[in-house]
């Protein structure tokens, strides 16, 4: 079997998504889960982009043992110097540098020529080589780059020392056979192509990221760049779990990875919870309905023989149908165990705090499932915010005007206000705005139930604009008006310091 290397970019391309930003502690938690999952490379960030990203690359490098830690740069010396510095503690390290190679990028982004871009590409690789042996080069917008020119660039950067060459379909434009032919063209026409590994990096703008990645692998690419749950810029990147399970189901492709597929479900939930990014119910492999059979004919078939309608065993991706459902009677140990299965390891005071929240929720809700547990873990981790909700009382109904009174604690001091509004959320936010006297506009507001049942926890995502900047807020509560106010306060806390 041929070995395929898995390069995970959840913490770089995935984390670029607005509202999905993680702090360093959360990134370390994801990186450790990626290590347990068995990825070969973790792209940990873009160090020159911010001090936070720099620090995350440093800390992930210290925390992780086996996978190679990779840092992204533009094809610019300063970026490469900073990336090398951020990687200094990594046991295995890689610099990922590159430049746009399509005519769009060359003319409109760089106002340059093909020859000049080629020179810059070679110079970037040579500069990175001064720091690390393992240098990956990306030809940005390779999907729309002319294959003959692309082959020239790939050949030149391999000659300059690149160990991996990334062929990104940056805009998600390619058709699967077109992308497959592109990789084949490079395999057939680049001198020295076997001195490096070709890598796929596909975006999902037309829903073809996974198909394109598989086409690239069939043509000879031996690294795939992927993210958990397929998160990433715009419509996202190729999802790791889809590639891992395609290769597991289609042994005839003769390609193997080191992915421990039973870790997939736990890390999918963890990433979704930490990034406040729900997984769509019908998402392949990890969606809530991925293994649910609703029609009678299917249910009957599965009961007679699971393989009648299931091509994968849910336990292969870590979905344990008999998983314990927690209730108000469950103890700390059961909660700790469940969190562990989901990849969140907590001890001592942190566990006590999460358990306290767990008991409060269990009083309101009969069964506590994995999503609830992860939400609680997220809440237990958030450090104290400057503005906190003290109380909220709302009266609303049909034929009466909604009225809300709210109490906030701001830096330890208590404030109260009341207001009426066009519905309970409007009334509560108007009351809140009487206390927080800033100009801010609610731009987007989504409410989602996580599971089912009228006692379910509602998750609220909000975008609040203040002074031309958009802030993202998140709240979760069995009371959706309270969840909305929590989300609003969460967004405000980011600019009221
Ligand atoms: O999509 C893309 O082209 C990228 C590169 C920076 C690798 O993410
Ligand atoms: Zn990308």
């Amino acid at each position: 079997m041929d070995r395929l290397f898995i390069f995970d970019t959840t913490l770089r391309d995935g984390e670029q998504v607005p509202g999905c930003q993680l702090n360093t502690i959360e990134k370390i938690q994801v990186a450790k889960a990626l290590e347990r999952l068995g990825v070969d490379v973790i792209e940990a960030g873009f160090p020159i982009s911010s001090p936070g990203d720099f620090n995350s690359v440093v800390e992930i490098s210290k925390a992780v043992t086996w996978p190679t830690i990779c840092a992204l740069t533009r094809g610019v010396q300063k970026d490469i110097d900073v990336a090398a510095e951020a990687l200094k503690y990594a046991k295995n390290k890689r610099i990922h540098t590159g430049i746009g190679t399509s005519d769009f990028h060359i003319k409109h982004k760089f106002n340059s020529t093909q020859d000049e871009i080629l020179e810059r590409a070679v110079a970037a690789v040579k500069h990175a080589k001064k720091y690390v042996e393992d240098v990956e080069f990306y030809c940005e917008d390779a999907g729309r780059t002319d294959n003959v020119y692309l082959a020239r660039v790939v050949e030149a950067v391999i000659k300059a020392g690149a160990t991996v060459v990334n062929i990104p379909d940056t805009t998600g434009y390619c058709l699967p056979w077109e992308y497959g032919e592109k990789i084949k063209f490079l395999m057939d026409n680049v001198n020295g192509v076997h001195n490096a590994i070709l890598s796929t990096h596909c975006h999902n703008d037309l829903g073809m990221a996974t198909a394109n990645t598989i086409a690239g692998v069939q043509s000879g690419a031996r690294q795939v760049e992927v993210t958990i749950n397929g998160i990433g810029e715009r419509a996202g990147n190729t999802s790791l779990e889809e590639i891992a399970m395609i290769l597991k189901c289609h042994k005839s492709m003769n390609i193997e990875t080191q992915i421990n597929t039973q870790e997939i479900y736990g890390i999918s939930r963890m990433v979704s919870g930490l990034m406040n990014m729900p997984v769509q119910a019908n998402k392949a492999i990890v969606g809530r309905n991925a293994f649910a059979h609703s029609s009678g004919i299917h249910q009957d078939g599965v009961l007679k023989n699971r393989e009648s309608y299931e091509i994968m065993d849910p336990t292969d991706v870590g979905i344990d149908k008999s998983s314990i459902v927690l209730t108000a009677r469950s103890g700390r140990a059961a909660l700790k165990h469940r969190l562990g299965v989901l990849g969140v390891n907590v001890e001592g005071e942190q566990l006590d705090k999460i358990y306290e929240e767990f008991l409060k929720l269990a009083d309101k809700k009969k069964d506590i499932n994995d999503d609830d547990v992860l939400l609680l873990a997220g809440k237990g981790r958030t450090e104290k915010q400057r503005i906190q909700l003290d109380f909220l009382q709302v009266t609303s109904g049909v034929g009466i005007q909604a009225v809300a009174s709210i109490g906030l604690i701001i830096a330890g001091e208590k404030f109260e206000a009341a207001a009426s509004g066009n519905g309970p959320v409007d009334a509560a936010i108007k009351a809140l705005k009487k206390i927080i006297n800033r100009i801010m506009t609610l731009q987007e507001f989504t409410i989602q139930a996580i599971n089912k049942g009228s006692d379910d926890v509602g998750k609220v995502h909000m975008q609040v604009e203040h002074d031309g900047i958009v802030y993202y807020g998140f709240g979760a509560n069995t009371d959706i008006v309270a969840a909305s106010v929590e989300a609003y306060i969460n967004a405000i806390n980011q600019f009221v310091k």
Side-chain angles (χ1 to χ4, degrees):
M1 280 225 182
D2 251 18
R3 171 89 153 82
L4 180 72
F5 294 94
I6 304 290
F7 175 115
D8 182 274
T9 183
T10 305
L11 295 173
R12 201 279 298 168
D13 228 350
E15 210 249 353
Q16 265 167 233
V17 176
C20 282
Q21 277 66 38
L22 301 180
N23 61 37
T24 303
I25 295 170
E26 292 164 335
K27 285 188 192 172
I28 292 173
Q29 196 181 329
V30 174
K32 286 188 162 170
L34 288 169
E35 183 169 34
R36 285 195 296 276
L37 179 67
V39 306
D40 299 286
V41 185
I42 296 176
E43 188 163 47
F46 181 10
I48 199 147
S49 67
S50 71
D53 243 43
F54 180 92
N55 192 37
S56 297
V57 175
V58 172
E59 296 305 326
I60 291 171
S61 299
K62 290 181 191 162
V64 162
T65 311
W66 300 114
T68 295
I69 304 300
C70 176
L72 184 79
T73 80
R74 293 166 297 181
V76 172
Q77 288 207 355
K78 179 79 187 135
D79 282 32
I80 295 169
D81 298 340
V82 172
E85 173 66 17
L87 286 169
K88 75 173 172 220
Y89 296 105
K91 285 108 202 146
N92 305 300
K93 50 186 95 177
R94 178 181 295 177
I95 291 178
H96 187 190
T97 189
I99 199 161
T101 51
S102 67
D103 285 345
F104 296 94
H105 283 233
I106 295 175
K107 285 190 192 128
H108 305 296
K109 199 165 143 185
F110 302 113
N111 188 22
S112 186
T113 61
Q114 288 191 337
D115 288 344
E116 205 176 279
I117 291 297
L118 193 111
E119 264 175 46
R120 283 169 67 174
V122 168
V125 171
K126 286 192 172 157
H127 191 64
K129 276 299 238 199
K130 291 181 194 154
Y131 294 109
V132 291
E133 174 44 37
D134 192 2
V135 173
E136 174 167 341
F137 183 84
Y138 63 86
C139 307
E140 196 178 5
D141 204 14
R144 293 186 300 171
T145 301
D146 164 61
N147 285 349
V148 175
Y149 176 62
L150 188 62
R152 268 180 71 203
V153 177
V154 174
E155 189 166 313
V157 295
I158 292 176
K159 211 163 152 214
T163 43
V164 180
V165 186
N166 177 9
I167 311 298
D169 184 20
T170 306
T171 57
Y173 176 75
C174 286
L175 294 164
W177 53 90
E178 225 180 327
Y179 189 75
E181 275 166 16
K182 193 175 277 290
I183 300 291
K184 182 162 177 0
F185 184 88
L186 298 174
M187 293 298 292
D188 292 345
N189 291 285
V190 169
N191 283 323
V193 73
H194 296 289
N195 297 329
I197 290 174
L198 293 188
S199 180
T200 67
H201 178 115
C202 300
H203 280 269
N204 206 29
D205 299 66
L206 292 170
M208 295 190 289
T210 297
N212 285 351
T213 299
I214 291 294
V217 171
Q218 273 185 308
S219 295
R222 284 296 172 266
Q223 178 182 278
V224 291
E225 305 197 3
V226 290
T227 61
I228 301 294
N229 300 335
I231 61 162
E233 282 279 5
R234 309 179 306 278
N237 290 55
T238 306
S239 87
L240 182 151
E241 59 277 8
E242 291 173 15
I243 297 300
M245 291 315 289
I246 287 170
L247 297 177
K248 197 174 171 103
C249 289
H250 289 272
K251 293 269 183 324
S252 59
M253 280 186 74
N254 234 8
I255 305 271
E256 65 180 2
T257 70
Q258 259 184 7
I259 294 297
N260 173 10
T261 60
Q262 291 187 339
E263 295 284 330
I264 285 177
Y265 176 71
I267 193 167
S268 159
R269 291 290 165 207
M270 177 197 278
V271 167
S272 162
L274 288 174
M275 292 194 168
N276 294 326
M277 186 81 170
V279 175
Q280 75 193 56
N282 60 332
K283 166 81 181 65
I285 321 292
V286 288
R288 183 170 13 105
N289 295 345
F291 295 95
H293 302 278
S294 43
S295 89
I297 298 174
H298 284 208
Q299 283 171 347
D300 181 57
V302 168
L303 287 175
K304 286 180 178 141
N305 181 341
R306 186 186 60 74
E307 285 177 36
S308 325
Y309 287 99
E310 276 185 7
I311 54 165
M312 291 168 270
D313 184 339
T315 58
D316 275 351
V317 297
I319 297 178
D320 181 359
K321 287 249 172 86
S322 60
S323 74
I324 38 165
V325 175
L326 300 172
T327 68
R329 283 174 304 286
S330 306
R332 252 185 202 67
L335 178 67
K336 183 172 168 5
H337 171 79
R338 198 66 214 144
L339 280 165
V341 170
L342 296 170
V344 183
N345 294 308
V346 282
E347 304 277 351
E349 230 180 87
Q350 210 182 7
L351 176 63
D352 291 345
K353 219 160 127 195
I354 299 172
Y355 188 63
E356 217 175 277
E357 292 287 327
F358 164 77
L359 290 178
K360 280 190 217 156
L361 182 63
D363 266 351
K364 298 186 206 160
K365 194 171 184 260
K366 205 165 65 159
D367 296 333
I368 310 283
N369 54 38
D370 290 347
D371 290 297
D372 297 321
V373 166
L374 281 164
L375 265 179
L376 292 173
K379 272 195 176 178
R381 267 194 318 273
T382 40
E383 45 311 347
K384 272 238 174 309
Q385 301 195 319
R386 184 174 158 83
I387 304 173
Q388 287 172 282
L389 181 62
D390 187 18
F391 70 83
L392 175 70
Q393 189 177 35
V394 184
T395 315
S396 70
V398 179
I400 56 163
Q401 186 165 37
V403 226
S405 46
I406 196 167
L408 298 182
I409 304 177
I410 306 179
E413 218 183 312
K414 292 195 172 194
F415 296 85
E416 289 182 25
S420 56
N422 186 14
V425 174
D426 187 44
I429 287 178
K430 280 192 174 134
L432 182 147
K433 279 181 161 176
K434 284 188 178 171
I435 306 175
I436 316 250
N437 201 3
R438 301 273 187 117
I439 299 171
M440 46 202 172
T441 351
L442 180 56
Q443 289 199 326
E444 205 177 293
F445 174 26
T446 55
I447 305 185
Q448 205 191 20
I450 357 185
N451 295 295
K452 41 191 164 221
S454 52
D455 65 350
D456 196 7
V457 173
K459 297 210 281 186
V460 174
H461 293 262
M462 277 187 179
Q463 277 183 29
V464 176
E465 192 262 347
H466 169 67
D467 250 356
I469 302 176
V470 174
Y471 298 88
Y472 296 86
F474 174 72
N477 202 303
T478 45
D479 177 329
I480 54 170
V481 182
S484 309
V485 172
E486 279 175 13
Y488 205 85
I489 293 176
N490 183 230
I492 299 174
N493 266 310
Q494 291 164 47
F495 58 83
V496 177
K497 297 283 180 219

